[in-house]
Amino acid sequence: MLKIILPLMLLLVFNPKWNQAILFIAYIILPTILIIYTSILPRRINNMCSLDHMSNILILLTIWIMPLVVTARQNIFINKNEQRFISNIIILTTILISAFLASNLFSFYIIFEASLIPTLFIIIKWGYQPERLQAGLFLILYTITARLPLLMAIATQFNNKVNNIFFSIHSFPSYSITLWLIINIAFIVKLPLFLFHLWLPKAHVEAPVAGSIILAAVLLKLGGYGILRIIYLIPPIQHPIKFYIISLTLWGGIITRLICVRQQDLKSLIAYSSVGHIRLVIAGVLSNTYWGLWGAIAIIIAHGLLRSALFASADIAYYYSNSRSLIINKGINIIIPTISIIWFIMAAANIAAPPSCNLIAEIILITCSTITTKVIIIPLGIIRFVAAAYSLTIYVSINHGPSNPLNSPSINLNPRNLLVITSHLAPIVIIILIPTLILLY
């Protein structure tokens, strides 16, 4: 833990520039990889902390993304306190790593709750518009309301010695669909799933680029991580209820994809596509197979990296045109060809085209979804078609057409912005070349 926290603390001492943040990445990543991949078996660190392969890859994702957040935040600070923002990033990084290490159920709940505070500060203080207060209110109401049932379930089962979430197998005494919903509702809202997603587009739109990257890459992964941990404590869900939940998930995926097709706000479009992209996590978990769990982990990692890259690219477009509209941000293919190629790679990865780890995740989870019923193939086909439609809409709208004459004529892509985007996209390609990095769990 000190190998991770100490380099981040150095950011408070120096005046951090983007090249220094990348050096901190190298310092943090190397010892972490050596520790993580020495063994894939679960191991107990102490009475409160444990480690396994699922925790390993999510910790690695956290420490990969956070220095990129420090690098991407350079656009939004003019007269604001940078040291206070760095302090929020350090606190949030510590909370997230502690959440992925926590083996005690109640400790995990406390850390899970604590992640809300620095996130709320980032949205409210460094957001773009006055509506950021409403976005913060939505975030508080949805997350805290959904977490109260989880606290009640933990309190009622405390006498049953349900403590360790790494090594307990079906510790709850009996199966109950009500118990499953009460415990998982907090993680479903955090993920988020359709019907519980209304806070997410507001939070993404009003947050600065650093806040959007944190939300998409790491914070939303706490929800998927919680669901994957709880399956060790509760017996598998039965078939009729499983079918209804998967149907609701896929129906929500269709609706959110159709919303994306008609969106003109670039950041809002990416936020709604985030809800549609994460839909298959529940299907993989409810398949009750190791194949489904591997697919859920793969889609979580792919979603975090790709959505962060999309938000960083949207922020670059906003920086040059002072607008998030697809109509105003036209003709970038003529002005900055490099950005045009990057948008093409991201659009291809968004529809699970090779070479991206989204392809592995989609194949695994679509295969697992058909285990419940073959009828699921129809909505899955509709979702894939609509996803291709809005991905091509984003690419064509931004890259082709006449450029806006009100935009700055001296537009160029500086190395810092290029490094932030390529650092998100490179792992997506590396994972499909070495899938054992995430599929050993």
Side-chain angles (χ1 to χ4, degrees):
M1 179 69 76
L2 290 178
K3 293 180 180 179
I4 298 172
I5 301 301
L6 287 178
L8 292 175
M9 294 295 292
L10 291 176
L11 295 175
L12 293 174
V13 179
F14 301 103
N15 184 19
K17 301 298 181 182
W18 67 268
N19 52 354
Q20 295 176 354
I22 299 303
L23 290 177
F24 290 139
I25 286 181
Y27 184 81
I28 296 173
I29 289 291
L30 181 60
T32 307
I33 292 177
L34 294 177
I35 294 172
I36 283 176
Y37 288 101
T38 52
S39 174
I40 63 172
L41 298 176
R43 55 189 183 275
R44 188 189 299 272
I45 299 175
N46 53 45
N47 291 331
M48 302 296 291
C49 298
S50 297
L51 200 63
D52 65 358
H53 193 65
M54 180 166 62
S55 298
N56 290 340
I57 57 179
L58 289 174
I59 291 172
L60 191 59
L61 176 66
T62 303
I63 62 178
W64 179 263
I65 291 296
M66 286 306 178
L68 295 178
V69 171
V70 177
T71 307
R73 67 87 174 86
Q74 303 273 345
N75 287 345
I76 64 174
F77 293 105
I78 299 175
N79 294 317
K80 295 186 178 181
N81 191 342
E82 295 190 26
Q83 297 300 322
R84 188 173 299 176
F85 179 82
I86 298 297
S87 300
N88 273 287
I89 295 297
I90 294 173
I91 293 171
L92 187 57
T93 304
T94 306
I95 290 173
L96 291 170
I97 294 175
S98 301
F100 296 136
L101 288 174
S103 60
N104 184 275
L105 185 58
F106 188 72
S107 299
F108 175 72
Y109 172 80
I110 296 298
I111 300 170
F112 187 72
E113 287 278 1
S115 64
L116 174 65
I117 300 173
T119 309
L120 185 63
F121 285 160
I122 290 172
I123 293 175
I124 291 178
K125 182 171 178 59
W126 288 278
Y128 291 121
Q129 301 170 359
E131 286 80 4
R132 64 184 184 273
L133 300 176
Q134 185 181 11
L137 180 62
F138 266 61
L139 176 63
I140 291 175
L141 289 178
Y142 269 84
T143 53
I144 290 182
T145 304
R147 288 169 184 176
L148 290 177
L150 176 60
L151 178 60
M152 294 172 57
I154 293 174
T156 55
Q157 298 296 328
F158 188 77
N159 293 329
N160 294 323
K161 307 297 183 183
V162 183
N163 293 323
N164 198 298
I165 60 177
F166 277 78
F167 301 98
S168 299
I169 302 297
H170 302 162
S171 299
F172 284 89
S174 61
Y175 170 80
S176 172
I177 181 58
T178 305
L179 181 62
W180 190 91
L181 291 174
I182 286 175
I183 292 178
N184 284 283
I185 190 67
F187 306 124
I188 288 174
V189 171
K190 193 75 172 180
L191 196 56
L193 212 58
F194 181 71
L195 297 181
F196 306 97
H197 70 285
L198 295 180
W199 66 271
L200 182 63
K202 282 186 173 292
H204 273 311
V205 169
E206 303 303 331
V209 58
S212 296
I213 291 176
I214 292 171
L215 276 172
V218 184
L219 278 175
L220 302 185
K221 308 304 165 284
L222 273 177
Y225 176 78
I227 293 175
L228 290 170
R229 282 294 176 213
I230 292 299
I231 63 174
Y232 289 102
L233 304 180
I234 305 177
I237 193 170
Q238 301 301 320
H239 180 75
I241 304 299
K242 180 198 303 186
F243 176 75
Y244 295 141
I245 295 176
I246 294 178
S247 300
L248 175 63
T249 302
L250 297 179
W251 178 247
I254 293 175
I255 293 177
T256 51
R257 300 281 185 170
L258 292 175
I259 292 174
C260 291
V261 173
R262 61 180 296 273
Q263 280 290 332
Q264 291 299 317
D265 187 311
L266 181 58
K267 211 170 184 182
S268 180
L269 192 157
I270 298 171
Y272 277 106
S273 69
S274 177
V275 179
H277 194 206
I278 209 71
R279 73 201 179 280
L280 286 175
V281 171
I282 295 294
V285 170
L286 296 183
S287 67
N288 301 325
T289 62
Y290 283 110
W291 191 247
L293 299 184
W294 293 339
I297 288 291
I299 201 70
I300 283 174
I301 300 299
H303 173 272
L305 294 169
L306 180 59
R307 286 298 170 272
S308 298
L310 286 168
F311 279 117
S313 302
D315 181 73
I316 293 174
Y318 178 81
Y319 179 71
Y320 290 138
S321 64
N322 292 321
S323 175
R324 297 192 301 264
S325 174
L326 290 175
I327 299 174
I328 295 178
N329 290 288
K330 279 182 173 291
I332 202 169
N333 186 24
I334 301 173
I335 303 173
I336 317 177
T338 306
I339 282 289
S340 177
I341 296 173
I342 289 174
W343 275 108
F344 177 77
I345 295 172
M346 292 188 295
N350 199 44
I351 58 177
S356 67
C357 61
N358 298 62
L359 177 64
I360 297 177
E362 294 277 351
I363 290 175
I364 293 175
L365 291 178
I366 289 174
T367 304
C368 293
S369 300
T370 57
I371 293 176
T372 305
T373 175
K374 300 299 185 292
V375 180
I376 289 178
I377 296 176
I378 298 175
L380 283 175
I382 297 173
I383 289 173
R384 298 311 309 151
F385 175 79
V386 180
Y390 78 75
S391 298
L392 292 176
T393 300
I394 295 176
Y395 176 73
V396 172
S397 298
I398 291 180
N399 290 277
H400 298 285
S403 60
N404 187 0
L406 298 178
N407 292 347
S408 174
S410 60
I411 295 176
N412 58 355
L413 182 64
N414 58 51
R416 173 175 53 81
N417 291 333
L418 182 61
L419 184 63
V420 169
I421 300 174
T422 53
S423 296
H424 284 99
L425 295 179
I428 296 177
V429 179
I430 293 173
I431 288 173
I432 197 172
L433 298 176
I434 316 174
T436 52
L437 291 174
I438 61 174
L439 297 183
L440 286 175
Y441 169 65

